[in-house]
């Protein structure tokens, strides 16, 4: 039922506009708000905080359906749920949950999350953005980069250094509201893909944040962030599965319709084998993702399983996007057909929330631990 609901919504509200949003790099805030009304912006947030009260199976299902239509919109839903909302839900105080979760879950607030900086991507421990305590406030200075909803976000959870460089207990998470003096953002333009998802640089110029906006204990932000990313990787895996399946289904449709040498190209072994590889890899990626979702639902360790799913599914999405372009030939190279957008959107999946190389590092560490 959830899959059908999201599918119907995507066909009505997203598909007719996705090419224009992609061309204009337009973030459809109004559509995000509508998804909040449907319960898609607080999928696993308990009902007591205004959420849908579902689990990760429902979350994965929704992201797959969105990814099949538009990776950019899907990415925004994933970042809002897993990162900003998820960080407050899993690590925030009761007061913070009551204050922010109902607004985030309903879509009244759009959420952002900031870990990456202009000079620190995978090497987050060397972040330069700092917070210094003055009385009952913290003063933040620095910048965050590649932040989803950096401009439109009503509330941002940011990870900031409050201790020594390279100290894993020297980073703290803060909630920063839009409009706070000294807090601004600059849109990042000309992205390759996921162009309907807004990306920005956050700038902190003596931004004063009250003590009550610290999430959890001072110094525990990095530990919290790693746990948030464990769940976030399941969401990117799910979105990757959606993009891959969208590319695969478009390829099957095209291959059945396109005729060469007197018959549809689907009947040529070269094309049939491509479709077979795509179908098999999409199924495998979805099963890995559901396995990670099952572990998350049952409070089992998800670090390794989430990395398995995110690494494999994101690479599969790129391969499926690439094969879709190849199957459609010259048409696949144009914006008139969907293949090139699937390929452009897919590439981000191998980078965001931990690159494929980082996933392999996580996996290798986990299996050697075992």
């Amino acid at each position: 039922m959830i899959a059908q609901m999201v599918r119907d919504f995507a066909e009505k509200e997203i598909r007719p506009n996705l090419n224009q949003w992609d061309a204009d790099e337009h973030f459809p805030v109004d559509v995000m708000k509508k998804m909040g009304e449907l319960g898609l912006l607080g999928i696993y947030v308990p009902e007591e905080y205004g959420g849908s009260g579902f689990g990760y199976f429902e979350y994965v299902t929704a992201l797959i359906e969105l990814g099949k239509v538009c990776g950019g919109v899907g990415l925004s839903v994933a970042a809002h749920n897993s990162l900003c909302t998820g960080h407050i839900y899993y690590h925030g105080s009761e007061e913070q949950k009551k204050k922010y979760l109902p607004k985030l879950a309903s879509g009244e607030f759009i959420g952002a999350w900031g870990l990456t900086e202009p000079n620190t991507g995978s090497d987050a421990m060397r972040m330069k953005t700092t917070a210094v305590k003055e009385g009952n406030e913290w003063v933040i200075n620095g910048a965050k980069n590649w932040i989803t909803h950096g401009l439109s976000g009503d509330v941002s959870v940011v990870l900031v250094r409050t201790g020594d460089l390279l100290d894993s207990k020297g980073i703290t998470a803060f909630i920063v509201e839009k409009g706070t003096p000294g807090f601004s953002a600059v849109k990042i333009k000309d992205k390759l893909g996921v162009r309907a998802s807004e990306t920005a640089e956050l700038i902190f110029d003596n931004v004063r944040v009250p003590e009550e906006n610290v999430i959890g204990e001072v110094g525990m932000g990095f530990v919290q962030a790693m746990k948030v990313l464990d769940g976030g990787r399941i969401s990117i895996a799910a979105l990757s599965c959606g993009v891959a399946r969208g590319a695969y289904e478009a390829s099957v449709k095209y291959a059945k319709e396109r005729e060469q040498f007197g018959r549809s190209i689907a009947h040529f072994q070269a094309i049939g084998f491509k479709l077979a590889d795509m179908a098999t890899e999409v199924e495998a990626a979805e099963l890995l993702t559901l396995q990670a979702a099952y572990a998350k639902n049952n409070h089992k360790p998800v670090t390794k399983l989430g990395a398995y799913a995110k690494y494999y599914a994101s690479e599969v999405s790129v391969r499926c996007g690439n094969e879709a372009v190849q199957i459609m030939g010259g048409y696949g190279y144009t914006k008139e057909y969907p293949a090139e957008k699937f390929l452009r959107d897919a590439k981000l999946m191998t980078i965001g929330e931990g690159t494929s190389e980082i996933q392999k590092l996580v996996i290798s560490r986990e299996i050697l631990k075992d």
Side-chain angles (χ1 to χ4, degrees):
M1 289 172 65
I2 290 169
Q4 190 61 54
M5 177 190 76
V6 178
R7 198 175 300 142
D8 291 344
F9 179 85
E11 290 299 326
K12 180 183 177 184
E13 301 286 348
I14 300 173
R15 192 179 295 280
N17 305 299
L18 62 88
N19 288 332
Q20 195 61 53
W21 294 342
D22 182 70
D24 296 341
E25 292 190 277
H26 172 69
F27 172 49
V29 176
D30 58 329
V31 173
M32 281 288 284
K33 302 282 187 183
K34 289 180 182 178
M35 287 191 284
E37 294 170 9
L38 286 179
L40 296 179
L41 299 189
I43 295 176
Y44 57 80
V45 173
E47 291 182 36
E48 63 182 291
Y49 299 118
S52 299
F54 290 127
Y56 262 69
F57 285 143
E58 291 82 3
Y59 184 32
V60 163
T61 297
L63 288 175
I64 288 175
E65 291 300 328
L66 289 171
K68 283 162 59 175
V69 178
C70 181
V73 174
L75 179 65
S76 281
V77 172
H80 176 94
N81 274 283
S82 286
L83 300 181
C84 180
T85 305
H87 199 136
I88 295 173
Y89 171 54
Y90 287 115
H91 301 287
S93 66
E94 189 62 25
E95 292 74 19
Q96 290 168 343
K97 291 178 186 179
K98 287 179 178 176
K99 181 177 180 180
Y100 294 106
L101 291 182
K103 293 181 178 180
L104 287 165
S106 67
E108 180 183 344
F109 275 8
I110 303 296
W113 192 79
L115 176 65
T116 299
E117 296 186 358
N119 293 309
T120 59
S122 300
D123 189 12
M125 291 281 288
R126 294 181 191 272
M127 67 173 61
K128 294 180 179 178
T129 302
T130 59
V132 177
K133 193 171 185 185
E134 292 185 5
N136 293 323
E137 295 180 320
W138 289 83
V139 183
I140 304 175
N141 282 285
K144 294 290 177 180
N145 210 20
W146 309 113
I147 309 305
T148 304
H149 308 148
L151 277 167
S152 298
D154 299 281
V155 59
S156 300
V157 173
V158 295
L159 287 301
V160 180
R161 187 158 58 83
T162 52
D164 295 331
L165 195 68
L166 299 179
D167 179 5
S168 63
K169 300 290 179 69
I171 294 170
T172 303
F174 294 88
I175 298 172
V176 184
E177 295 187 18
K178 189 175 185 178
T180 302
F183 181 39
S184 61
V186 179
K187 184 175 180 178
I188 294 173
K189 299 179 180 179
D190 298 325
K191 293 182 299 181
L192 174 70
V194 293
R195 290 162 61 94
S197 180
E198 178 187 275
T199 311
E201 179 179 9
L202 301 181
I203 300 167
F204 302 87
D205 182 9
N206 290 315
V207 175
R208 290 185 172 272
V209 178
E211 178 75 28
E212 58 263 30
N213 282 28
V214 173
I215 299 179
E217 296 179 27
V218 172
M220 293 302 291
F222 188 78
V223 176
Q224 296 169 9
M226 293 305 102
K227 292 178 180 177
V228 168
L229 284 173
D230 278 346
R233 285 164 183 163
I234 299 173
S235 68
I236 297 300
L239 184 56
S240 298
C241 289
V243 173
R245 185 165 285 283
Y248 160 70
E249 290 179 356
S251 297
V252 171
K253 182 175 184 292
Y254 180 87
K256 286 179 176 179
E257 296 172 352
R258 173 69 167 170
E259 290 191 1
Q260 292 288 276
F261 305 102
R263 56 178 175 164
S264 68
I265 63 171
H267 292 97
F268 292 108
Q269 192 178 71
I271 302 300
F273 278 13
K274 286 182 184 296
L275 296 175
D277 284 339
M278 293 165 79
T280 304
E281 290 192 328
V282 170
E283 290 290 328
E286 288 182 355
L287 285 169
L288 275 175
T289 303
L290 290 170
Q291 177 181 243
Y294 176 84
K296 183 71 173 174
N297 279 344
N298 290 278
H299 310 290
K300 296 177 181 291
V302 297
T303 300
K304 181 171 65 175
L305 297 179
Y308 279 159
K310 199 274 185 185
Y311 167 53
Y312 186 73
S314 65
E315 295 291 340
V316 164
S317 69
V318 172
R319 286 197 289 273
C320 285
N322 191 51
E323 290 290 41
V325 172
Q326 193 70 18
I327 288 168
M328 296 185 195
Y331 292 111
Y333 207 65
T334 70
K335 292 185 184 295
E336 186 179 349
Y337 284 71
E340 61 87 32
K341 183 177 183 297
F342 283 124
L343 179 57
R344 288 188 290 109
D345 287 351
K347 191 56 202 164
L348 186 276
M349 309 305 156
T350 68
I351 298 169
E353 295 197 36
T355 63
S356 291
E357 291 73 20
I358 287 293
Q359 303 314 310
K360 288 193 274 189
L361 186 64
V362 170
I363 293 165
S364 62
R365 284 177 178 170
E366 289 294 312
I367 60 179
L368 292 174
K369 226 189 270 181
D370 294 342

